[in-house]
Amino acid sequence: ANMDKSEAQMGDVAEKWTAVKKQAPIAKEAGRNVQEREALKIKNNIQTFENKVKTNAYEFSKKPLFEYSTGNAAAYDNIKAAREELLKLDAALADLASYARIFEFPELIEPAKAVQDRCHQELQQMVQMWHMVDMIDLQISDWKQTLWDDIDCETIDDGAKGLYKQLRATDKFVKSTNTYTTCEQNLKN
């Protein structure tokens, strides 16, 4: 009797196992559908974010920090605000990048990352440019206060050439800005 009971239980287990095996493809399909739906959401979020980053880059290029008339103090305030905006976007980028890695399409985040990196680089170059503007303005102001009897044309000329050489060493991107061209004109005059 125990043997019959064991065989019956084994038969039950075999039937249940067969039923579970039949359900496995259905469960796998359902899981794949959920995964594909979530992956599509992430891809759409990445595309939306990339558009947001590109819009931000365009708006960034129009900021007053690229105009000499903005002045040092306002330019530094503008730089600080731009940096804060970029850091917020960096946080969102990191979040999306982690999802992109999980769903195995990290390459989709690269265009947005490249735009962000370029904006960071341009911002850093403009910080350096405004430091240069500050240094040149201070030197010119100092020279303007020199009394006629104390003017040493050779020293002033050498100083101006040195500053001009430093200015010319700036990045090509910076040279395309109004800040650079105006600063260069001020130094030449």
Side-chain angles (χ1 to χ4, degrees), residues 48-61 115:
T48 300
F49 181 75
E50 183 180 337
N51 292 338
K52 182 177 181 178
V53 166
K54 287 177 178 176
T55 299
N56 184 67
Y58 175 78
E59 291 169 358
F60 172 78
S61 71
V115 172

Side-chain angles (χ1 to χ4, degrees), residues 42-43 46 93-110:
I42 299 299
K43 286 178 180 179
I46 289 171
L93 177 73
D95 192 38
L96 283 172
S98 71
Y99 284 118
R101 279 191 302 278
I102 290 168
F103 284 94
E104 299 178 349
F105 42 75
E107 69 284 352
L108 294 184
I109 203 75
E110 289 305 315

Side-chain angles (χ1 to χ4, degrees), residues 102-180:
I102 290 168
F103 284 94
E104 299 178 349
F105 42 75
E107 69 284 352
L108 294 184
I109 203 75
E110 289 305 315
K113 184 177 181 338
V115 172
Q116 274 294 97
D117 289 347
R118 190 193 71 215
C119 287
H120 277 291
Q121 182 180 15
E122 290 174 0
L123 185 65
Q124 189 56 42
Q125 290 169 348
M126 288 309 295
V127 167
Q128 292 170 353
M129 182 65 219
W130 279 104
H131 290 334
M132 177 77 67
V133 167
D134 219 7
M135 185 174 68
I136 290 171
D137 287 351
L138 283 171
Q139 186 59 60
I140 290 173
S141 175
D142 187 47
W143 288 334
K144 284 181 178 178
Q145 294 189 18
T146 304
L147 298 175
W148 278 106
D149 291 344
D150 297 334
I151 290 178
D152 179 358
C153 292
E154 191 173 316
T155 302
I156 291 173
D157 193 42
D158 288 346
K161 284 178 183 175
L163 289 172
Y164 187 70
K165 186 177 178 183
Q166 281 183 305
L167 184 63
R168 295 290 302 158
T170 56
D171 188 79
K172 188 171 107 176
F173 161 74
V174 173
K175 290 178 182 174
S176 69
T177 66
N178 171 271
T179 303
Y180 176 89

